[in-house]
Amino acid sequence: MSDHTADFSSHVRGYLIVGAALLIGTLLTVWASYIDLGHHWNIVLALVIASVKASLVALFFMHLISEKQLIYTVLAFTVFFVTGLMFLTLTSYHDLPAQTVTH
Amino acid sequence: MQATTLTPPHVEAHPHPAHHAHHAHQEDAGFWRTYIFSTDHKIIGIQYGLTALCFMLFGFCLMLMMRWQIAHPGEPIPLVGPLLEKLLGNPAAKGVMSPDLYNSFGAMHGTIMVFLAVVPLAFGAFGNYVVPLQIGAPDMAFPRVNMASYQCYLLGGIIMLVSFFIPGGAAQAGWTSYSPLATTIPTDGQTFWLIGMVLLITSSLLGAVNFIATIVQLRAPGMTWMRLPFFVWAQFVTGFILLLAFPPLEAAGIMQLMDRVAGTSFFLPTGLAVGGHLANVSGGGSPLLWQHLFWFLGHPEVYVLILPAMGIVCEVIANNTRKPIWGYKSLVYSALFLGTLSFIVWAHHMYLTGMGTKISAFFQTTTMIISIPSVIILTCFFISLWGGSIRFNTPMLFALAFLPMFGIGGLTGLPLGFAAADLHLHDTYYVIGHFHYVVAPGTIFAMFAGVYYWFPKLTGRHMNEFWGRVHFWCSFIFMNIVFMPMFAQGMAGMLRRMSDGGLNYSEARGPDVAGTLSSPIIGLNKFILWGGVGLAISQVPFIINLFRSIWKGEKIASDNPWEATTLEWQTPTPPPHGNFAHAPKVFRGPYEYSVPGASKDFTPQNALEAARNS
Amino acid sequence: MDIPYTTQPRPDTGIYNAKIGIWLFLASEVMLFGALFSSYILLRVGAAPADWPHGLLNIPIGAFNTVVLIVSSVTVVMAWASLKMKKLAQFKLFQAVTVLCALTFLWVKSYEYREKFSHYEVWKTDGTRLTGHIEGKPMFLTLAKLQVAKKEKIEFVADPHHYSEGKTPMVKHEAHAEHKPVEIPLAEIKRLSAFVPAHSTYFAVYFTMTALHALHVLGGAIVIGYLFGPGSKMWFTDPERLTNRVEVAGLFWHFVDLVWIFLFPVLYLL
């Protein structure tokens, strides 16, 4: 890493801004959970907010926004596989034969 | 003009003086730090190798006892019956294997062979010893993590072994440990199995991180990705598979542990009845969830079993045909494609769980597609033989036999990949025949090839060639005697995991019972038993040869007795701590054999070669 | 020959060894928690609504814990930034705060667990279900244990709503005061369970996932604490390697925070 000491004050500012954003996101999530938007939309909203918060942590705290190609490749495969696991398992569970055979 | 091969000074036989102190320090570290708590990848590789071979022998013995029971149900096991009774008590009363004992031997045979023998040997032993040497690195990227990974493996293995001696015995629900049986079966052996598995998975994860980081970061100057020996590529993909496929099984193992210990119902459905009574659990769980999570690992695991073997076969074939491997790029891309696709085929182990047509079609499609890279790899190896100057030494015999044996294993998998055929073949001996062909005369033959091939690098001596050939021919014949009949039995409908060898479903039931197994099919059990005994006897020369040759084997004439091109053969024998005094410089690909104009029929990857004659 | 690229990045990949190592490990952790989240989804979608509790976890406390972890994420990255700016004392301060946040999180979690272990659900033989507390706040009681102890009834303080009555607002603890204990004879009880893992798959998932997460918090706290304490001596012999170690530990810590960012809404709010 060849960042100079001087650069870091802007980095520090960035961390504090992201931290504040995360705290706001938390408040938002809790507040939104008390509003009844219909069961499914509550889930979507909560997950969207959580995803935004997670992205902020990953991109800025974990420096993914300026990471190297190799790390991106590893994570891309991971995301592909975990999505496959989730999606295929849930689909298998609910894709049932239309009806049982009766004689 | 004479072309000479100059060996650069940094690969001289004696360590550079500045590093001699380092080497001496390692030796001065005492017996425990040098051999038991070592962080040197070579020592750890040997530790993995010896431990794994012991487990393999143990797993093999379990199988022999099971085959006796299958061929002679209810009869006391000869020779070891009384010993078994002494060790295990009631389950082996009068030396007869009870059905519960049969089940526990079956479950543990599978677990031990897959997780304690083959993977630690293929990945932990061969990978650890050879990969850093082949890429020109001083050690693994994280040596202490490497030591930790071996220790986790050893501990996990010990816990698995201990489970045989606790009340209730070892795990008895198959190596697949399906809930609800695995959860409700009244033995703590299953809990031991789960704890052992968590340790083994931890060991594999630590190892996988190490292998991938090492291959990415520690390649010597000039060792580009496309100059890596295929063995390294195979281990690289294997590492990725272990890294990403094991954690869901760890999650499932934790959940099953919670089911057993904390009374949860992750995998126990509502309304579950055990022993005729409604189980006192909350219900709401799903047995299918266990299956999905298990096979999410279970399928990629089989590629973990085969890829390192393919890597070894590639090295041995290139070396003993004295020509470059045909289709290096195809091999690499096939291995990468295979590894990636292996994550989305798993439910072909679950066709009979009542899945719908859409999802079944998806998994059938991906399963068919995944057979393509395997075929490409095998084809490249076959074509590599064409026009070669083949040396039929023991490693080459095993590597050559791998090709048709893996071919049979792979081809017999195709009907299993189609749900329509799988309806008939699922859970029969056909499946057992299929996967044993791939792993036993497949992977294990490649392991043997690797042992005979790399033995001189570890010890400075050759294993005895005559007894190696005896080992090969006897193993080859008996492997086929053991496993070929299983296809016939499976197609006749003989199911897996039957402790009486199918007697209850045979003609012995009576003349007017329909659809029973015929006497010839049942009779094959005895045939297979004798094959197993023959296979056991065939391993004796190997065991004796292995140990005897360490001290009495024919000494090697040079550090590179097989005249190989890859970097592990360009080091002293055995390689010192730190492997290379300075990082080797690599100038060419891994299989530059019989280069026109070169002075010898092989050109090592790091050799400085004067300009070729045109 | 020494192992290269422990501190300096390798030119063609641009990273040092430990960083690729930790990202690989985190990839495996994504698969681990991903599998658990998948299991949660599968079990929840397949569950009857009446059997899937909600509103039983204290949301303000959960939100507080979320804030604690977010703060610790800020402090752990600030600790690394301090080392990059060569400010050792500031690094130590931020590392210490991170560990304190971790311990706070764990303490709050253990308080939550204990609360749940003395919070009960009763299934009566007439089919009705009640949630509430038992006089004396015992933990881990079951019908079998009461029968063995030859008790004949329990003093039960019921909650105002049962979770199967539709989406309930958080059970306010003030409402607790209104209710007097009610006697329930053991003969009328079909099942009695505290909100323990065995209660339902919801609590099985809750306890398993939060306990596994807590183990990761503990592990991370130990490593960060080590780097604050004995590990920080490396500043005087190999400062760049220490900085890298702190960065790598911080990456693990951020992942732990990231998991909780999903766990909190999924388990507490939905």
Side-chain angles (χ1 to χ4, degrees):
Chain A
M1 289 267 183
S2 53
D3 306 75
H4 296 294
T5 315
D7 287 345
F8 261 86
S9 47
S10 63
H11 281 250
V12 168
R13 236 193 355 258
Y15 299 145
L16 294 172
I17 294 175
V18 171
L22 291 171
L23 293 171
I24 294 172
T26 309
L27 290 170
L28 208 62
T29 315
V30 175
W31 176 73
S33 71
Y34 289 116
I35 307 172
D36 191 1
L37 301 163
H39 188 51
H40 289 118
W41 289 111
N42 273 105
I43 295 177
V44 170
L45 182 61
L47 288 177
V48 163
I49 299 176
S51 302
V52 169
K53 287 167 73 183
S55 307
L56 287 173
V57 171
L59 288 170
F60 297 105
F61 285 168
M62 298 172 95
H63 304 116
L64 266 184
I65 203 163
S66 55
E67 245 324 332
K68 304 293 179 289
Q69 177 64 40
L70 178 64
I71 306 291
Y72 291 155
T73 312
V74 171
L75 291 176
F77 274 101
T78 310
V79 166
F80 174 65
F81 293 140
V82 78
T83 312
L85 170 64
M86 227 180 250
F87 179 70
L88 289 171
T89 311
L90 289 166
T91 321
S92 318
Y93 200 63
H94 295 288
D95 178 30
L96 299 170
Q99 54 198 36
T100 49
V101 175
T102 49
H103 292 283
Chain B
M1 189 163 77
Q2 220 177 9
T4 47
T5 310
L6 297 167
T7 320
H10 54 253
V11 195
E12 61 204 15
H14 305 288
H16 190 273
H19 291 268
H20 188 68
H22 194 227
H23 178 51
H25 172 73
Q26 178 67 12
E27 282 180 335
D28 287 346
F31 173 80
W32 290 97
R33 281 301 304 277
T34 313
Y35 296 110
I36 307 295
F37 292 100
S38 174
T39 55
D40 186 312
H41 72 99
K42 299 184 288 297
I43 304 290
I44 294 173
I46 295 173
Q47 289 174 333
Y48 263 110
L50 291 173
T51 313
L53 286 171
C54 288
F55 276 119
M56 194 178 289
L57 187 61
F58 181 71
F60 185 72
C61 292
L62 290 179
M63 176 276 291
L64 272 182
M65 291 187 273
M66 286 166 64
R67 291 305 324 178
W68 168 269
Q69 165 69 5
I70 291 169
H72 303 101
E75 292 176 37
I77 307 173
L79 295 175
V80 295
L83 176 64
L84 220 55
E85 185 176 13
K86 224 196 202 125
L87 285 172
L88 301 173
N90 207 28
K94 298 199 178 55
V96 180
M97 190 186 287
S98 67
D100 283 343
L101 191 64
Y102 177 89
N103 288 341
S104 73
F105 276 26
M108 296 309 285
H109 167 78
T111 306
I112 288 171
M113 284 311 212
V114 172
F115 294 114
L116 295 180
V118 177
V119 173
L121 185 59
F123 187 70
F126 285 111
N128 255 310
Y129 197 99
V130 177
V131 166
L133 288 168
Q134 279 195 341
I135 63 174
D139 205 308
M140 284 285 186
F142 310 116
R144 282 174 297 184
V145 170
N146 209 8
M147 179 176 74
S149 107
Y150 171 74
Q151 289 169 348
C152 282
Y153 157 61
L154 185 63
L155 190 58
I158 290 173
I159 290 177
M160 293 269 188
L161 287 182
V162 164
S163 73
F164 278 103
F165 299 103
I166 60 171
Q172 288 163 40
W175 82 288
T176 49
S177 289
Y178 281 10
S179 282
L181 180 66
T183 310
T184 54
I185 215 164
T187 170
D188 283 332
Q190 183 67 24
T191 310
F192 276 66
W193 187 93
L194 289 165
I195 295 172
M197 281 307 296
V198 168
L199 282 165
L200 293 176
I201 295 174
T202 306
S203 160
S204 290
L205 289 177
L206 293 175
V209 168
N210 225 341
F211 272 63
I212 297 172
T214 303
I215 294 171
V216 169
Q217 295 280 104
L218 299 188
R219 284 166 293 130
M223 181 62 86
T224 60
W225 286 101
M226 288 318 219
R227 284 181 180 167
L228 283 172
F230 182 67
F231 178 77
V232 178
W233 272 111
Q235 296 283 1
F236 180 68
V237 176
T238 305
F240 260 111
I241 296 177
L242 287 171
L243 184 77
L244 299 176
F246 252 131
L249 179 61
E250 183 152 39
I254 292 170
M255 290 193 276
Q256 197 179 81
L257 207 53
M258 289 290 287
D259 274 4
R260 285 192 62 88
V261 167
T264 54
S265 298
F266 283 111
F267 306 120
L268 305 177
T270 311
L272 177 72
V274 178
H277 302 283
L278 214 56
N280 185 19
V281 288
S282 66
S286 167
L288 275 180
L289 179 61
W290 168 268
Q291 293 192 29
H292 278 293
L293 292 174
F294 179 86
W295 286 114
F296 185 83
L297 165 86
H299 192 79
E301 178 71 15
V302 315
Y303 295 102
V304 169
L305 295 172
I306 201 62
L307 274 168
M310 288 171 162
I312 294 177
V313 167
C314 190
E315 301 304 305
V316 173
I317 284 184
N319 179 249
N320 287 300
T321 51
R322 313 310 290 169
K323 61 193 276 281
I325 283 288
W326 191 93
Y328 175 84
K329 277 216 168 101
S330 307
L331 284 172
V332 170
Y333 290 128
S334 295
L336 289 168
F337 186 58
L338 189 72
T340 308
L341 211 61
S342 70
F343 281 86
I344 51 174
V345 298
W346 80 85
H348 65 228
H349 298 271
M350 297 168 61
Y351 284 142
L352 269 64
T353 58
M355 43 168 66
T357 47
K358 281 200 287 287
I359 204 78
S360 172
F362 173 82
F363 281 111
Q364 286 183 72
T365 311
T366 51
T367 304
M368 287 302 116
I369 295 175
I370 206 175
S371 63
I372 297 173
S374 304
V375 173
I376 292 178
I377 292 174
L378 213 62
T379 308
C380 288
F381 290 159
F382 270 115
I383 297 179
S384 299
L385 300 174
W386 182 265
S389 263
I390 302 183
R391 305 189 302 197
F392 289 96
N393 47 42
T394 305
M396 186 58 164
L397 288 172
F398 277 108
L400 285 173
F402 172 88
L403 301 177
M405 296 294 98
F406 175 71
I408 293 175
L411 289 172
T412 52
L414 288 173
L416 295 172
F418 284 112
D422 193 50
L423 269 171
H424 184 64
L425 297 171
H426 174 75
D427 245 11
T428 63
Y429 261 82
Y430 183 92
V431 179
I432 299 187
H434 155 69
F435 68 70
H436 278 94
Y437 255 96
V438 195
V439 187
T443 299
I444 295 183
F445 271 22
M447 300 293 110
F448 286 143
V451 171
Y452 286 98
Y453 182 64
W454 278 303
F455 188 88
K457 179 48 63 179
L458 270 77
T459 60
R461 295 173 187 271
H462 282 285
M463 285 176 75
N464 183 286
E465 183 64 17
F466 171 75
W467 287 109
R469 287 164 200 251
V470 169
H471 176 219
F472 168 72
W473 284 110
C474 294
S475 299
F476 181 66
I477 291 167
F478 287 113
M479 281 282 194
N480 283 285
I481 290 179
V482 171
F483 295 114
M484 187 60 80
M486 292 188 184
F487 293 121
Q489 290 184 318
M491 286 194 278
M494 186 175 184
L495 294 176
R496 290 172 73 164
R497 295 174 171 149
M498 295 194 294
S499 65
D500 65 356
L503 210 57
N504 205 28
Y505 292 90
S506 70
E507 285 177 347
R509 288 290 303 274
D512 24 310
V513 181
T516 50
L517 300 166
S518 66
S519 302
I521 290 288
I522 299 285
L524 283 174
N525 285 335
K526 287 196 166 65
F527 184 68
I528 294 173
L529 172 65
W530 284 112
V533 171
L535 190 58
I537 296 172
S538 309
Q539 307 314 306
V540 173
F542 171 67
I543 298 171
I544 297 176
N545 195 357
L546 183 68
F547 286 103
R548 199 162 184 280
S549 303
I550 296 175
W551 293 280
K552 297 269 176 59
E554 177 197 330
K555 275 209 175 124
I556 51 175
S558 79
D559 285 327
N560 190 356
W562 302 117
E563 295 184 311
T565 52
T566 43
L567 286 180
E568 80 272 27
W569 296 104
Q570 320 308 327
T571 63
T573 306
H577 187 62
N579 297 340
F580 305 93
H582 304 285
K585 276 202 172 43
V586 173
F587 301 105
R588 58 188 65 80
Y591 306 120
E592 298 292 309
Y593 288 98
S594 301
V595 177
S599 57
K600 295 196 253 187
D601 74 340
F602 73 102
T603 313
Q605 288 192 271
N606 62 337
L608 296 169
E609 173 108 352
R612 292 190 223 148
N613 292 327
S614 49
Chain C
M1 195 184 148
D2 285 327
I3 297 174
Y5 311 124
T6 50
T7 324
Q8 295 311 311
R10 183 184 159 102
D12 60 351
T13 58
I15 35 186
Y16 56 91
N17 297 345
K19 183 172 268 202
I20 177 83
I22 194 69
W23 273 113
L24 289 168
F25 179 65
L26 290 180
S28 81
E29 295 272 83
V30 167
M31 299 304 295
L32 177 69
F33 283 100
L36 288 169
F37 275 109
S38 300
S39 306
Y40 162 84
I41 297 172
L42 187 141
L43 291 170
R44 172 143 187 202
V45 168
D51 290 327
W52 196 268
H54 46 259
L56 285 171
L57 297 176
N58 189 314
I59 294 178
I61 290 184
F64 171 75
N65 254 356
T66 311
V67 165
V68 165
L69 274 189
I70 289 172
V71 166
S72 74
S73 253
V74 176
T75 55
V76 88
V77 75
M78 288 300 302
W80 170 75
S82 306
L83 277 188
K84 293 296 281 186
M85 297 192 280
K86 313 248 189 279
K87 295 181 181 165
L88 184 69
Q90 193 171 290
F91 151 75
K92 287 205 149 198
L93 174 68
F94 280 121
Q95 282 289 79
V97 172
T98 309
V99 175
L100 284 172
C101 287
L103 295 175
T104 307
F105 179 90
L106 289 173
W107 186 85
V108 170
K109 205 86 216 92
S110 76
Y111 167 78
E112 282 183 283
Y113 276 17
R114 271 179 289 128
E115 273 295 295
K116 290 265 87 53
F117 294 157
S118 58
H119 192 187
Y120 288 86
E121 179 167 6
V122 172
W123 289 256
K124 293 172 76 173
T125 46
D126 61 3
T128 57
R129 293 156 68 170
L130 294 170
T131 62
H133 293 83
I134 295 178
E135 282 290 289
K137 286 249 193 163
M139 295 203 286
F140 306 125
L141 280 185
T142 60
L143 191 58
K145 281 191 190 160
L146 288 168
Q147 287 166 337
V148 162
K150 299 219 188 328
K151 288 270 177 27
E152 284 176 0
K153 56 185 181 345
I154 50 169
E155 307 283 330
F156 198 76
V157 180
D159 295 330
H161 304 279
H162 185 270
Y163 56 81
S164 63
E165 293 164 24
K167 183 160 167 65
T168 51
M170 182 199 75
V171 175
K172 293 206 177 7
H173 288 276
E174 297 86 78
H176 200 87
E178 294 176 12
H179 293 259
K180 294 194 297 284
V182 160
E183 270 186 16
I184 306 180
L186 246 51
E188 282 178 30
I189 299 178
K190 197 168 75 168
R191 183 182 173 208
L192 170 73
S193 175
F195 291 120
V196 291
H199 170 273
S200 57
T201 40
Y202 167 75
F203 275 105
V205 170
Y206 167 74
F207 281 107
T208 304
M209 289 192 81
T210 55
L212 189 64
H213 177 260
L215 275 175
H216 282 78
V217 170
L218 183 63
I222 291 173
V223 171
I224 292 173
Y226 170 79
L227 289 170
F228 160 80
S232 64
K233 286 200 215 52
M234 192 183 264
W235 181 250
F236 304 106
T237 50
D238 198 344
E240 278 184 2
R241 196 151 166 231
L242 176 67
T243 311
N244 288 346
R245 283 183 168 187
V246 169
E247 182 180 15
V248 160
L251 283 171
F252 178 78
W253 191 254
H254 290 127
F255 179 76
V256 169
D257 182 27
L258 219 149
V259 171
W260 183 259
I261 284 174
F262 281 103
L263 272 183
F264 171 62
V266 165
L267 294 175
Y268 284 72
L269 303 176
L270 294 178

